Amino acid sequence: MVTARIPAAMICLAAAALFTQAWPLERWSVQGPGEGFFPLLLSAALAVLGLVQLVAPGPPTGPVPSPADRAAAAAAVDAVAPRDGRAFAIYVAATLAFALLFTRLGLLLSVLLFMIVTVRVAERRAWGPALLAGVVADLALYAVFGRLLGVPLPQGVLENALRAAGLLR
Amino acid sequence: MIDGLLEGFRVSLSWINLVHCFLGVTIGTFVGVLPGLGPAATIALLLPFTYRLDVTTAIIFLAGIYYGVSYGGTITSVLMKIPGEAATVVTCFDGHEMAKRGRAGPALGIAAFGSFIAGTLGVVGLMLLAPPLANLALLFGPVEYTALMLAGMTLVTYLTTNALAKALTMAVAGLVLGTVGLDPISGRERFTFGLEVLSDGINIGPLAMGLFGLSEVLVLAEQGVGRADRIRPPRGWRNLLPNRADWRRSGGPIARGSVLGFLIGVLPGGGAVMASFLSYAMERRLSRHPEQFGHGAIEGVAGPESANNAGTAGAFIPLLTLGLPANVITALLLGAFLIHGVTPGPQILQTHPGVFWGVVTSMYVGNVLLLILNVPLIGLFVRVLDMPKAYLSPAIAVACLVGVYTVGANAADVLVMVICGLAGYLLRRFDFDLGPLMLAYVLGPLLERSLRQALIIADGDPAIFLTRPVSALFVAVAILILLTGLWQGRRRVAVPAA
């Protein structure tokens, strides 16, 4: 029950934050509702919904699947193992690092490193396949976005090296 | 009309127009598969290539991209749970579940055939009903739009299996996200915290790809090494296409989705996106097995995909007959018309009948080409599922990261997508459905603008929503849907623990 109330508490906090941010905006003028009108309405709605869930989080809801559906689902869908926090943390760190660094490192190096880290470290595959996955991803993304669609991609160390070697235009 | 139709087919089936139509749907399908780049960006990029073409050929080419992208987006929604564009978000719900159960082929097949049928019906509707429907759309003012959006929002109760309070919370969250950026009426910045990247609001690309695509990768990553290594692709050609039972279940949704999508597509604003969500909600409401929705119900693919494509045809009505674009894409097509010296509007049938009928009939030709192009390739598309998840998950993640960047060459979009991905993961962990959030995010700006304009018209008196007959009808529908949702919520039983 405590776990179920955590999101509700977060919703109430979000409502309060939204109210705080929306209050200084113009709520109503001679011309009618201002830019603060709608967000204030939403903050009120969010507060009500948060309080409702805080007071009565309710049981998990949803219709009961039929025995045949449950059997089919169990047979068809992959069995879920205990949660792998390590792999999850690596994926989160890798995507955040990519988002923050790829414009400085250049696209090719960023993609290569991302694939190596996720395939080798998170997915626990061998170095060879991880490196190959990185190279294939680099080639595919550059071919499609860089050459075919002509999208300007972030340049970096690897691009400059390949250009110097005459492998990239 | 028959003469016009025959003339139109003569124009659209000429070699040059046929080739350009094929090019358009092929490029559109390819672009639709790519995460990030959507129909608007593609049409904008390729617009200069049409300058030297005849106006009919140019519009046929660009329109082909429009509905080609829609099907391409369906492919990634089904196979990888990455919505190629906003209108295919709904397909992620059940399409991907079907793929996980080894039914990717039937999902893609019913989407292709359903889109073809809906597109055909849409073109027929366009021919027969264009002028009267266009005039009807003109009757919708801010008051009616507000009530329509509210009725659309209340359908969130049918988009989710969860508690009504949670669904409404997600809807409100989507509305809040839609307020970030410039105020639609005054133009002042809201909730940007001084960040230039937020002055244009949160783009739908990073939001959709993060919430659905990246969050799915994170959920899979958390499942760890105990999960099966591959999603099972269908085996044998019989399993690549819908069977009789699939068709029996999909016939009604396709028909209903076609009509709904066409009518909604005529209205400026939500168009195909709103049509696909409404169709999903309607099919879930009408289904004898609503518990199957979200777990691979083919109706959840057939209806929305049909509505999506029919909405595309409907969006052409205000463009061709009134010269009013219904969405960003038709606005670009209007630009293409004007560049070539043709002004769409009520007089187009008199001044340029060949252009009008050529474009209308090319939509039917384009749907045939889409079917011919994509159905034989279903077997190839589902091969993607053969890739071990250890490689597929990183590939999906990096495709999202790069794809979202290419839309506006904006590094901030990538960070926004990652944040949305984390948020999507957390919401799913706490059992919040993402569908209502997306619907509300799309409808939110239009709802706010219409609401404020309506209150300005009424001098602040909200009774106007009840005194205007069309608006009162939609308000009554909204209240009825909410009350039904509340009543059904009390009757729902808890899902037993596994």
Side-chain angles (χ1 to χ4, degrees):
Chain A
M1 278 311 225
V2 173
T3 314
R5 287 190 160 92
I6 291 174
M10 303 286 295
I11 292 165
C12 291
L13 280 172
L18 178 62
F19 182 86
T20 313
Q21 292 294 316
W23 186 255
L25 301 173
E26 188 177 58
R27 295 176 288 283
W28 204 280
S29 69
V30 288
Q31 288 158 341
E35 60 265 23
F37 173 75
F38 195 61
L40 282 173
L41 267 184
L42 295 179
S43 71
L46 212 51
V48 167
L49 290 166
L51 285 170
V52 164
Q53 292 173 76
L54 204 59
V55 167
T61 55
V64 179
S66 68
D69 288 339
R70 261 183 274 145
V77 177
D78 306 328
V80 178
R83 293 204 159 93
D84 185 351
R86 178 183 167 276
F88 174 78
I90 292 168
Y91 267 95
V92 171
T95 48
L96 276 171
F98 185 99
L100 293 169
L101 297 172
F102 82 105
T103 50
R104 288 179 207 181
L105 296 178
L107 189 88
L108 294 181
L109 185 59
S110 305
V111 168
L112 185 67
L113 289 174
F114 181 89
M115 293 298 286
I116 289 173
V117 165
T118 49
V119 175
R120 170 75 190 112
V121 184
E123 302 289 349
R124 305 182 208 241
R125 296 286 162 138
W127 278 107
L131 200 56
L132 183 63
V135 171
V136 169
D138 264 343
L139 285 172
L141 290 168
Y142 180 74
V144 170
F145 290 109
R147 297 305 303 273
L148 199 63
L149 296 172
V151 179
L153 299 171
Q155 303 295 297
V157 171
L158 210 51
E159 285 84 354
N160 293 335
L162 290 171
R163 202 167 284 120
L167 294 170
L168 212 64
R169 261 184 256 170
Chain B
M1 189 189 296
I2 301 293
D3 290 338
L5 210 55
L6 291 172
E7 171 65 15
F9 275 114
R10 191 191 66 77
V11 168
S12 59
L13 290 175
S14 64
W15 277 111
I16 186 132
N17 289 330
L18 211 51
V19 164
H20 279 85
C21 189
F22 182 77
L23 268 175
V25 300
T26 307
I27 292 172
T29 305
F30 175 66
V31 166
V33 169
L34 296 176
L37 214 56
T42 311
I43 289 173
L45 278 172
L46 294 174
L47 191 57
F49 289 100
T50 67
Y51 290 168
R52 294 197 182 167
L53 298 174
D54 170 67
V55 59
T56 309
T57 308
I59 300 300
I60 286 172
F61 172 64
L62 297 174
I65 294 172
Y66 185 12
Y67 32 88
V69 167
S70 173
Y71 189 71
T74 300
I75 296 170
T76 53
S77 293
V78 169
L79 298 181
M80 292 182 274
K81 207 173 180 178
I82 303 176
E85 52 148 2
T88 56
V89 162
V90 174
T91 307
C92 289
F93 301 164
D94 283 272
H96 188 63
E97 289 299 316
M98 287 182 70
K100 278 157 70 170
R101 285 161 173 73
R103 306 208 68 227
L108 291 174
I110 208 68
F113 285 110
S115 294
F116 170 71
I117 295 167
T120 304
L121 292 175
V123 170
V124 170
L126 182 64
M127 283 178 342
L128 299 175
L129 301 171
L133 274 180
N135 291 331
L136 191 66
L138 284 178
L139 294 178
F140 272 67
V143 178
E144 289 75 20
Y145 266 113
T146 306
L148 174 64
M149 296 295 132
L150 277 174
M153 290 294 306
T154 55
L155 281 168
V156 298
T157 58
Y158 296 112
L159 286 175
T160 177
T161 56
N162 286 342
L164 184 60
K166 282 188 164 178
L168 291 174
T169 302
M170 285 293 96
V172 173
L175 292 174
V176 170
L177 290 176
T179 61
V180 175
L182 296 179
D183 175 62
I185 292 180
S186 69
R188 291 189 208 117
E189 284 191 359
R190 282 187 306 195
F191 313 125
T192 59
F193 306 104
L195 298 170
E196 197 184 316
V197 67
L198 291 179
S199 60
D200 273 339
I202 299 172
N203 289 328
I204 193 165
L207 183 71
M209 286 163 62
L211 284 179
F212 291 91
L214 201 57
S215 74
E216 181 70 13
V217 169
L218 294 177
V219 165
L220 287 175
E222 197 189 32
Q223 284 175 358
V225 295
R227 64 182 194 266
D229 204 37
R230 284 173 159 89
I231 299 174
R232 280 184 292 280
R235 297 285 176 219
W237 67 270
R238 280 180 203 275
N239 295 317
L240 285 178
L241 293 174
N243 56 32
R244 260 190 213 153
D246 293 331
W247 278 109
R248 221 171 14 246
R249 290 176 66 168
S250 304
I254 288 172
R256 287 186 290 268
S258 302
V259 173
L260 178 71
F262 181 73
L263 293 174
I264 297 289
V266 173
L267 299 173
V273 177
M274 190 167 147
S276 60
F277 275 96
L278 289 180
S279 173
Y280 187 86
M282 179 170 63
E283 292 311 319
R284 193 155 172 269
R285 179 70 184 87
L286 294 173
S287 172
R288 272 183 251 170
H289 302 284
E291 72 278 1
Q292 292 177 6
F293 278 71
H295 300 284
I298 198 165
E299 297 93 327
V301 176
E305 285 295 318
S306 304
N308 183 5
N309 215 32
T312 305
F316 273 82
I317 289 182
L319 173 66
L320 290 174
T321 59
L322 297 173
L324 294 175
N327 51 41
V328 169
I329 296 147
T330 47
L332 288 167
L333 293 175
L334 175 64
F337 270 114
L338 296 175
I339 286 168
H340 286 85
V342 173
T343 307
Q347 76 293 344
I348 195 172
L349 269 169
Q350 282 76 44
T351 58
H352 295 90
V355 174
F356 178 85
W357 290 110
V359 170
V360 168
T361 53
S362 78
M363 292 168 67
Y364 179 76
V365 172
N367 275 297
V368 173
L369 288 174
L370 262 178
L371 204 61
I372 294 170
L373 180 69
N374 287 301
V375 168
L377 292 177
I378 285 175
L380 188 66
F381 294 146
V382 301
R383 282 331 226 174
V384 169
L385 300 176
D386 248 346
M387 200 189 303
K389 280 189 190 176
Y391 302 107
L392 189 60
S393 287
I396 291 170
V398 85
C400 286
L401 290 165
V402 176
V404 81
Y405 173 78
T406 61
V407 178
N410 188 351
D413 281 342
V414 183
L415 192 58
V416 169
M417 191 196 71
V418 173
I419 293 169
C420 290
L422 288 168
Y425 164 79
L426 286 171
L427 289 169
R428 289 170 67 172
R429 282 277 267 117
F430 284 106
D431 209 25
F432 283 89
D433 275 335
L434 300 174
L437 189 152
M438 279 307 303
L439 174 65
Y441 171 78
V442 170
L443 296 184
L446 189 60
L447 172 62
E448 182 187 2
R449 189 170 56 235
S450 304
L451 173 65
R452 286 165 65 183
Q453 286 173 341
L455 288 173
I456 290 170
I457 289 168
D459 286 329
D461 183 6
I464 195 171
F465 296 108
L466 299 175
T467 54
R468 295 249 184 128
V470 174
S471 168
L473 174 67
F474 283 126
V475 168
V477 166
I479 292 171
L480 187 65
I481 292 171
L482 260 182
L483 289 175
T484 313
L486 272 168
W487 178 66
Q488 285 186 333
R490 284 177 181 274
R491 293 187 64 215
R492 277 185 193 141
V493 297
V495 176

